[in-house]
């Protein structure tokens, strides 16, 4: 089956493409397209992640899942030597506090595939964080034998990604938008079955509203109860305003992996 090109959503510096991925556009910057500006404390589980490697740096998002753990995308941690974590920020560079940890604290999924972005999920272990109204954890789904597909459910994505495909600057303020979950089969009609499996959750992106470069690794939460359903992963190579579905790593498919590697479960 033909697989259409996909675009991973990390924000890379212009000097290098840290992902070494032929499907990834190296000229990537960040902001959710046509979203709304978040208010202080609206998404206390959201963190900003500034990754560094030799001669390059890139920006991603992440979710606090415990006082010592952040969940993000594998294509964000891949190749990085360290990360600075921005906690409680609405204005991107004005965090309540930051922490910097090295790659020895990254747990990247052992079966991550950078070509088709399968198993696009990583954990970051951090020094213990004291929670407050501005910094707190997101709720993971409970481990169960089966889960809803969430098709038709309203979800919220947040991050500091691109405002539009033509944007050249990084967002100052945290953005968010509401979306509807679509079926795996519908998403496969765009990307094929190699990139979109049952371990991926996709959203419709009408009216040029979508996740975009710089949003990678950030949260997709269920609007009705705030459960973490997805980790921001990819959009179509044609751009964030193309109208093609956006893809996320499906968290319910990795709850055992999260528990085995971090001890965190609900």
């Amino acid at each position: 089956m033909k697989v259409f090109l996909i675009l991973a959503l990390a924000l890379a510096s212009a000097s290098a493409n840290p992902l070494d991925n032929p499907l990834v556009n190296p000229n990537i910057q960040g902001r959710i397209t046509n979203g709304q500006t978040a208010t202080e404390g609206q998404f206390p589980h959201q963190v900003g992640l500034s990754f560094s490697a030799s001669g390059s740096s890139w920006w991603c998002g992440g979710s606090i899942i415990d006082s010592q753990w952040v969940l993000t995308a594998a294509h964000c941690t891949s190749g990085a030597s360290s990360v600075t974590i921005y906690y409680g920020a609405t204005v991107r560079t004005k965090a309540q506090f930051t922490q910097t940890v090295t790659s020895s604290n990254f747990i990247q999924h052992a079966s991550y595939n950078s070509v088709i972005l399968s198993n696009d999920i990583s954990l970051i272990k951090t020094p213990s964080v004291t929670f407050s109204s501005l910094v707190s954890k997101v709720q993971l789904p409970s481990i169960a034998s089966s889960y809803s597909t969430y098709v038709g459910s309203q979800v919220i994505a947040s991050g500091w990604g691109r405002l539009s495909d033509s944007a050249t600057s990084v967002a100052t303020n945290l953005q968010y938008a509401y979306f509807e979950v679509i079926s795996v089969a519908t998403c496969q009609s765009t990307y094929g079955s190699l990139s979109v499996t049952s371990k991926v959750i996709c959203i419709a992106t009408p009216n040029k509203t979508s996740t975009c470069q710089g949003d990678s690794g950030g949260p997709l939460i269920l609007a009705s109860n705030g459960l973490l359903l997805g980790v921001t992963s990819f959009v179509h190579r044609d751009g964030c305003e193309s109208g093609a579905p956006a893809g996320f790593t499906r968290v319910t498919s990795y709850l055992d992996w999260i528990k085995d590697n971090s001890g965190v479960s609900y």
Side-chain angles (χ1 to χ4, degrees):
M1 181 178 290
K2 183 176 181 180
V3 179
F4 286 77
L5 295 185
I6 57 180
L7 177 62
L9 296 180
L11 162 62
S13 69
S15 60
N17 175 11
L19 306 179
D20 192 25
N21 180 346
L23 298 186
V24 175
N25 183 339
N27 299 312
I28 45 183
Q29 308 215 0
R31 187 166 177 169
I32 283 185
T33 61
N34 300 309
Q36 304 174 62
T37 299
T39 58
E40 187 176 61
Q42 186 174 2
F43 301 104
H45 55 272
Q46 171 91 48
V47 293
L49 301 174
S50 180
F51 288 93
S52 296
S54 179
S56 63
S57 62
W58 56 98
W59 180 266
C60 283
S63 300
I64 303 168
I65 61 168
D66 189 72
S67 61
Q68 291 185 289
W69 292 97
V70 166
L71 190 68
T72 189
H75 78 262
C76 290
T77 59
S78 182
S81 58
S82 66
V83 63
T84 297
I85 306 164
Y86 290 73
Y87 291 90
T90 303
V91 176
R92 187 174 69 90
T93 56
K94 293 184 178 180
Q96 297 300 305
F97 57 92
T98 64
Q99 294 179 341
T100 300
V101 299
T102 65
S103 59
S104 62
N105 293 283
F106 301 168
I107 302 176
Q108 185 170 294
H109 198 288
S111 298
Y112 166 60
N113 184 314
S114 62
V115 176
I116 58 174
L117 291 180
S118 60
N119 302 302
D120 190 15
I121 191 167
S122 284
L123 286 158
I124 301 172
K125 188 173 185 180
T126 72
S128 185
V129 170
T130 299
F131 291 152
S132 67
S133 61
L134 300 181
V135 178
S136 64
K137 67 183 179 181
V138 69
Q139 187 81 5
L140 292 176
S142 298
I143 293 177
S145 58
S146 62
Y147 297 93
S148 169
T149 63
Y150 300 104
V151 173
S153 296
Q154 190 174 53
V155 290
I156 305 170
S158 54
W160 287 271
R162 276 187 182 177
L163 177 63
S164 68
D165 287 328
S166 61
T168 58
S169 60
V170 177
T172 299
N173 298 300
L174 181 63
Q175 303 288 298
Y176 72 98
Y178 288 85
F179 300 95
E180 184 175 311
V181 176
I182 62 174
S183 70
V184 169
T186 299
C187 200
Q188 285 176 338
S189 67
T190 297
Y191 298 107
S193 59
L194 289 179
S195 292
V196 179
T197 68
S198 61
K199 294 183 177 182
V200 170
I201 190 167
C202 292
I203 59 170
T205 64
N207 304 316
K208 297 185 177 182
T209 302
S210 180
T211 50
C212 204
Q213 286 73 30
D215 292 321
S216 276
L220 182 75
I221 61 171
L222 190 59
S224 61
N225 60 15
L227 287 178
L228 182 65
L229 299 187
V231 175
T232 306
S233 184
F234 63 85
V235 294
H236 200 278
R237 187 64 179 264
D238 285 350
C240 308
E241 296 180 281
S242 67
F248 302 75
T249 304
R250 189 183 291 265
V251 170
T252 52
S253 297
Y254 293 91
L255 291 172
D256 287 336
W257 178 84
I258 291 169
K259 182 180 179 181
D260 290 346
N261 286 281
S262 69
V264 176
S265 65
Y266 294 96

